[in-house]
Amino acid sequence: MDYIYFLQLTANGLVIGLIYALIAVGLALLFGVLGIVNFAHGELLLIGAYAMAIALPAFGLAYIPGVIVAVLTAIIAGWFIYEVFLSKLGHGEFERSILITMGLSIVILNGIQYIFTATPLLVNTEFGYAGVSIGDIRVAWTRIAAAVLSAVTFAALYVLLNYTQIGRAMRAVSQNRDAALMVGMQPRKIGRNAVILAASLCGLAGAAVAPVQLVQPYLGQFLVFKAFAIIIIGGMGSIEGAVFAAIALGVIESWIGGFFPVVWQEAAGFIIMITVLMLKPSGLFSRGGMRVG
Amino acid sequence: MPFLAVTVVAVAAFLPLVVTSSYILSVGVTMFLYLVAAMSLNVIYGLLGLLSLAHIAFWGIGGYFTVIAVMDLGLSFWVALPLAGLFAGVVSIAVGFPALRLNRHSFVVVTLIFALLTTLVARDWVSLTRGPMGIPGIPSPYFFGHEIAGAYSFYYLAGAFALVSLLLLYLFFTSRIADTMRAINQSEDLARSQGVNPTAYKLLAFFLSAFFTAMAGGILAFNQRVIDPLIFDFFFMQAFLIMVIVGGRGSFVGVLVAGAVMSILPEVLRFSVDLRMVLYGLALLAFVTWAPNGLAGWIRERREERLRSELRQ
Amino acid sequence: MNSATPLLEVEGLRKSFAGVHAVDNMSFSVAHNTITGVIGPNGSGKSTTIDCISGFQRPNAGRIRLDGRDITRLTPQKIAKAGLIRTFQTVHIYEAMTLRENLLQAARPFQASGWVADFLRLPGMRREVDAAMVRADELVDMIGLRKYYDAPTRILSYGQKKLVALAAGLMPKPRLLVLDEPVAGVNPTRIREIEEVILNLHAAGESFIIVEHNVEFVMRLCERVIVFVGGSKMTEGDPKSVQQDARVLEAYLGIPA
């Protein structure tokens, strides 16, 4: 019985870890390509989650159309934010980028709270609360859908970053900005692509998380602080590091939550992060340390 | 200018004799505490350009320290409050020393992590802070046998605290110490080449800003009569930061005016908290994008332009 | 101040970046009350040497002594306090401060009063400010910018800013002032003014090291000239002998000796 409980925890942890990864990868991408820390990242996710919550009833609870609407909404928001604010930032205007994204975060979060109130929304899908049982392990369909969605996204992301012109350009800028600019890459176009990609990942994460957790205005902030910890553990700007750290953290949190007081579940991420910072100030996976600065 | 300052102080001092609405007086209490906290942030961020997100931590630490010192250790409020300031100051040195070793970007990251960590401690170290439910029933402080309770007496307590703190901070902002900080902010290499040790000034600034912010947080807790982890709400940090940016980083008068207006105006217009924050956020975006040096900077730039054209003739 | 010990003594200095020696086995010394010029082609290690002497770079090997005192591993601020002040190739001044404030600020670290005296405006602090004001008055007249005394230095021209940086370096009356390309990008009439200023100060007992690309400027001004090539000293001597040195011509013009 004990090992089944353990497997159950692991399965839940994997799902949460994959969602963390969707968020953290976007943060790492923006840090790498634009050199900014995006405080409005959680609010992009929030936009995705609320879009999902509104779209689902409109489509008769159909899951996939809801996800598409959520992703598109987040992309439009990200694009707007890039064109109006982020594109005006010079590379290395680190503090200004924090202030601007913090401003955006305040406006979006409180705007949503003003419109939808702080009352949590319960999001129902075509799957309802049904689940699937493998032996004694039971996983809800909404969780499986979230995991499959994330896994497919990561496969697509891998192909995009490694085998397409757009993705290679982003990686090039993130690894060696000066060299990339020297060979004539256009930072504005690449920056826009990175923001759109990160926003779509946020929208997807929002859509995935909406049926799994209650949708309320502080959902994004809660998740994004975790994502900060994750990209620090994974090495600022490292995408592989962020994915690995996110999944590991999801599973570890789930285990801790299953066996210890819930207090330690939340503290886990921070304790790991601080340990990593002390042992290796540039993060576990980083190649060249913090690239801003 | 001194005449204006004396007039404002006098009006503020006699206000409770005319206005009896405890709602208006409580807006005053909040304004006094925000002004001190925003001006404290203005020391480290305005004078030295170091964006500290740890202020929310010092604010909360000050609140919890004062409450615990009074309720669990039996200290007098008047002893506990400055002790809370000193304690936060010592913590700021302990955080600042490693945070300043890398660069100004890592300073932002480390102060953010510190802020998140203190929230966690307040929520999870239940034996000390009583966890998420907080500590209710905070007793009233007594001032020579006179109980300080309710909006009327807290208006005077917070007002006197703000007056003394802001006077001290004004002396500081107009001192040569602040000038050296401005110099470090403009060119750290030049300051070093002239014999200035920047780390000492950065730690001093961080200490002072933690000291005053923590005491403001302590008064806030006693005014609320209850303290819980919500005192670490990022809302406070955002409000202080926006006051500093709108007023103009490094400007004493600018931040004073912006802080007062931004504390009072939303109350006068009866905005809900969400709507107020949306407007704060829009103000932050607008200023950072179009007038990064705030109101004071905008005025200074106009004056410089005029001077430039005069001198060029 | 023993005149037998040189004012500045550099011995076997080495600094490498990623395995490449920018400066290697650099040795030279500078006597009291002199104007010493340092010239050399690009990449000869001039800037790196200045950065090492002033503490902004840590040398990998070697010794640096100021008036007999070892300053090799000190921080820039301690070296400045020991009496060696440098200026920067790209103009470094406090652009948001007035000219007067720039000069007073430069004197500040050399004054005795501490934070408490500053905060409380004690009489000792006021006396210091008055003394610094007298010095600033002298210098502002010397650089001829009294008109801009209370204007923010941001509005000054490039050449004027260079003069402000020079005056700020002189505020604390350093034992040795190292000027990193003081006339690069400055128009010719202004260069004459700067020459004048330096000569006047030299007559008053000030010592200078001048690192410059403008060879004519160095030859006119300096008693001794040191030539750097490839990260170490190639030769030194009075301006005339250096100018006639065949190796110097080769290094500069690529003419084989």
Side-chain angles (χ1 to χ4, degrees):
Chain A
M1 184 61 208
D2 238 353
Y3 85 96
I4 290 169
Y5 181 53
F6 184 74
L7 282 180
Q8 175 90 55
L9 290 175
T10 310
N12 288 347
L14 272 175
V15 174
I16 292 294
L18 283 166
I19 292 173
Y20 286 169
L22 286 176
I23 308 164
V25 163
L27 265 185
L29 193 70
L30 293 181
F31 185 80
V33 175
L34 291 170
I36 67 171
V37 171
N38 182 19
F39 271 71
H41 212 66
E43 280 63 37
L44 285 172
L45 178 142
L46 201 60
I47 288 176
Y50 272 92
M52 181 81 168
I54 295 164
L56 275 171
F59 289 113
L61 300 187
Y63 193 80
I64 298 296
V67 172
I68 291 171
V69 168
V71 171
L72 285 179
T73 316
I75 285 179
I76 292 168
W79 195 344
F80 176 80
I81 288 170
Y82 181 77
E83 292 298 338
V84 177
F85 297 104
L86 300 182
S87 65
K88 296 188 173 62
L89 283 171
H91 197 82
E93 281 193 283
F94 188 71
E95 275 127 31
R96 261 184 96 192
S97 80
I98 287 181
L99 296 173
I100 284 191
T101 53
M102 194 186 280
L104 288 166
S105 153
I106 299 172
V107 172
I108 297 172
L109 194 157
N110 290 283
I112 284 181
Q113 185 163 316
Y114 185 66
I115 298 167
F116 297 99
T117 75
T119 319
L121 300 179
L122 203 63
V123 177
N124 198 3
T125 68
E126 58 186 302
F127 306 122
Y129 300 98
V132 60
S133 296
I134 309 162
D136 289 320
I137 308 171
R138 193 189 164 281
V139 185
W141 273 113
T142 48
R143 284 182 183 264
I144 293 175
V148 170
L149 210 56
S150 310
V152 170
T153 308
F154 283 121
L157 192 66
Y158 183 81
V159 172
L160 179 78
L161 288 177
N162 288 290
Y163 300 106
T164 69
Q165 195 59 43
I166 293 174
R168 282 203 196 127
M170 278 188 247
R171 290 203 323 151
V173 170
S174 138
Q175 274 160 19
N176 189 338
R177 186 179 166 83
D178 294 335
L181 298 188
M182 212 104 81
V183 299
M185 292 187 172
Q186 294 162 288
R188 201 187 156 102
K189 213 168 114 191
I190 296 168
R192 190 185 58 217
N193 289 340
V195 173
I196 288 176
L197 182 57
S200 64
L201 292 173
C202 278
L204 207 65
V209 88
V212 179
Q213 294 186 3
L214 291 175
V215 175
Q216 42 91 11
Y218 284 85
L219 175 71
Q221 237 175 31
F222 177 72
L223 286 168
V224 89
F225 281 145
K226 286 241 162 90
F228 280 141
I230 288 166
I231 67 166
I232 287 169
I233 295 169
M236 303 285 279
S238 157
I239 288 169
E240 300 89 331
V243 173
F244 182 84
I247 294 174
L249 185 66
V251 173
I252 290 171
E253 274 187 356
S254 182
W255 288 341
I256 293 175
F259 295 107
F260 297 98
V262 71
V263 167
W264 295 106
Q265 186 176 12
E266 254 184 66
F270 286 97
I271 292 170
I272 298 172
M273 172 179 69
I274 287 161
T275 316
V276 167
L277 272 179
M278 285 205 257
L279 295 179
K280 200 164 174 293
S282 49
L284 280 180
F285 282 80
S286 69
R287 290 166 298 258
M290 276 181 76
R291 228 166 284 109
V292 282
Chain B
M1 212 62 169
F3 175 73
L4 187 67
V6 170
T7 315
V8 169
V9 171
V11 168
F14 288 111
L15 188 73
L17 305 180
V18 186
V19 177
T20 46
S21 150
S22 64
Y23 165 72
I24 291 179
L25 294 181
S26 71
V27 171
V29 172
T30 314
M31 180 191 75
F32 290 141
L33 299 178
Y34 281 16
L35 280 180
V36 173
M39 200 60 79
S40 302
L41 181 62
N42 197 18
V43 174
I44 182 89
Y45 183 48
L47 292 177
L48 275 168
L50 288 166
L51 179 51
S52 157
L53 300 177
H55 266 65
I56 186 61
F58 299 135
W59 173 260
I61 286 174
Y64 269 101
F65 188 99
T66 320
V67 170
I68 292 170
V70 168
M71 291 179 71
D72 293 351
L73 303 179
L75 292 181
S76 145
F77 171 78
W78 308 104
V79 176
L81 194 66
L83 268 186
L86 284 179
F87 177 74
V90 171
V91 172
S92 80
I93 301 288
V95 175
F97 201 73
L100 290 166
R101 287 186 52 159
L102 299 161
N103 54 38
R104 53 210 291 155
H105 305 326
S106 58
F107 183 79
V108 182
V109 176
V110 173
T111 53
L112 172 68
I113 291 167
F114 173 67
L116 298 176
L117 200 68
T118 48
T119 321
L120 217 62
V121 169
R123 213 168 38 209
D124 296 340
W125 190 352
V126 178
S127 62
L128 182 74
T129 65
R130 305 190 204 168
M133 303 307 293
I135 308 175
I138 298 174
S140 313
Y142 279 82
F143 185 67
F144 291 112
H146 175 76
E147 186 184 10
I148 299 179
Y152 180 81
S153 32
F154 262 97
Y155 180 89
Y156 280 111
L157 173 65
F161 165 73
L163 184 64
V164 172
S165 303
L166 290 171
L167 270 177
L168 290 174
L169 284 166
Y170 179 75
L171 270 182
F172 182 79
F173 268 81
T174 50
S175 75
R176 294 203 296 175
I177 313 171
D179 286 341
T180 303
M181 289 179 178
R182 293 189 182 98
I184 294 168
N185 189 19
Q186 286 170 57
S187 172
E188 189 159 338
D189 277 346
L190 178 58
R192 277 157 68 90
S193 82
Q194 293 178 340
V196 172
N197 176 8
T199 310
Y201 282 89
K202 289 175 184 172
L203 289 177
L204 174 70
F206 208 31
F207 178 93
L208 288 177
S209 57
F211 178 76
F212 286 108
T213 307
M215 289 202 291
I219 295 178
L220 179 89
F222 277 78
N223 183 42
Q224 292 178 161
R225 315 208 64 145
V226 53
I227 187 167
D228 57 34
L230 279 180
I231 196 172
F232 291 100
D233 195 322
F234 224 60
F235 158 81
F236 293 113
M237 182 71 232
Q238 290 164 342
F240 306 150
L241 194 55
I242 293 168
M243 287 170 186
V244 170
I245 286 170
V246 171
R249 285 171 295 167
S251 158
F252 185 88
V253 178
V255 172
L256 201 63
V257 172
V261 170
M262 295 182 76
S263 303
I264 297 172
L265 201 60
E267 301 289 345
V268 174
L269 300 176
R270 303 263 166 185
F271 286 145
S272 68
V273 177
D274 323 321
L275 194 57
R276 171 192 310 189
M277 281 315 282
V278 170
L279 295 176
Y280 273 17
L282 289 174
L284 177 63
L285 282 174
F287 273 90
V288 173
T289 311
W290 292 293
N293 295 318
L295 294 171
W298 191 81
I299 293 170
R300 193 175 55 234
E301 279 152 26
R302 295 291 86 72
R303 198 187 302 150
E304 251 165 45
E305 245 165 52
R306 225 175 32 236
L307 193 65
R308 194 177 303 211
S309 60
E310 275 170 23
L311 282 168
R312 291 270 172 238
Q313 278 161 14
Chain C
M1 229 199 345
N2 178 358
S3 55
T5 48
L7 177 56
L8 181 74
E9 202 179 357
V10 176
E11 221 181 275
L13 194 69
R14 192 179 78 230
K15 176 72 192 176
S16 24
F17 299 100
V20 180
H21 297 314
V23 168
D24 197 8
N25 198 20
M26 171 76 78
S27 301
F28 64 91
S29 63
V30 169
H32 287 278
N33 297 329
T34 51
I35 305 181
T36 307
V38 171
I39 59 170
N42 282 328
S44 59
K46 300 189 302 282
S47 297
T48 310
T49 305
I50 292 191
D51 280 352
C52 287
I53 291 173
S54 58
F56 281 89
Q57 304 264 3
R58 286 210 150 187
N60 300 104
R63 285 262 156 271
I64 302 159
R65 281 185 209 92
L66 183 68
D67 228 347
R69 179 183 168 197
D70 192 333
I71 57 165
T72 315
R73 302 220 165 265
L74 298 186
T75 56
Q77 53 267 33
K78 290 219 172 102
I79 291 174
K81 290 276 258 293
L84 188 152
I85 299 271
R86 66 163 299 178
T87 65
F88 294 85
Q89 203 171 344
T90 50
V91 183
H92 280 45
I93 55 172
Y94 305 122
E95 305 242 341
M97 294 187 179
T98 67
L99 175 46
R100 188 194 301 271
E101 287 164 345
N102 263 272
L103 297 186
L104 293 182
Q105 177 59 40
R108 174 70 193 96
F110 292 84
Q111 295 162 340
S113 65
W115 285 344
V116 176
D118 270 5
F119 183 72
L120 299 173
R121 278 81 165 162
L122 296 181
M125 171 240 152
R126 288 163 192 271
R127 275 195 298 277
E128 283 173 4
V129 174
D130 291 343
M133 206 76 95
V134 173
R135 173 81 173 156
D137 276 344
E138 278 168 33
L139 287 170
V140 83
D141 284 333
M142 206 174 267
I143 59 172
L145 293 178
R146 186 170 274 277
K147 185 180 164 193
Y148 302 100
Y149 210 6
D150 289 306
T153 52
R154 189 185 289 134
I155 71 164
L156 300 178
S157 71
Y158 185 77
Q160 290 169 331
K161 286 179 184 175
K162 285 237 159 187
L163 285 170
V164 174
L166 174 66
L170 288 161
M171 268 307 283
K173 302 190 178 160
R175 291 164 195 243
L176 175 61
L177 183 60
V178 181
L179 301 174
D180 194 354
E181 305 206 357
V183 296
V186 177
N187 75 49
T189 37
R190 189 70 74 192
I191 292 180
R192 287 288 179 185
E193 284 173 39
I194 293 179
E195 261 179 61
E196 196 92 345
V197 171
I198 292 174
L199 285 173
N200 284 336
L201 287 157
H202 175 55
E206 190 65 59
S207 301
F208 294 91
I209 292 181
I210 297 173
V211 180
E212 246 311 323
H213 265 295
N214 185 334
V215 179
E216 278 172 53
F217 175 79
V218 171
M219 294 300 174
R220 276 201 303 268
L221 210 54
C222 302
E223 296 133 80
R224 282 196 85 68
V225 176
I226 304 176
V227 185
F228 286 7
V229 173
S232 61
K233 182 177 89 175
M234 189 177 71
T235 184
E236 72 170 283
D238 57 77
K240 228 186 197 119
S241 65
V242 166
Q243 262 173 321
Q244 286 158 356
D245 193 318
R247 290 172 304 167
V248 177
L249 290 176
E250 188 196 348
Y252 262 94
L253 307 169
I255 304 166

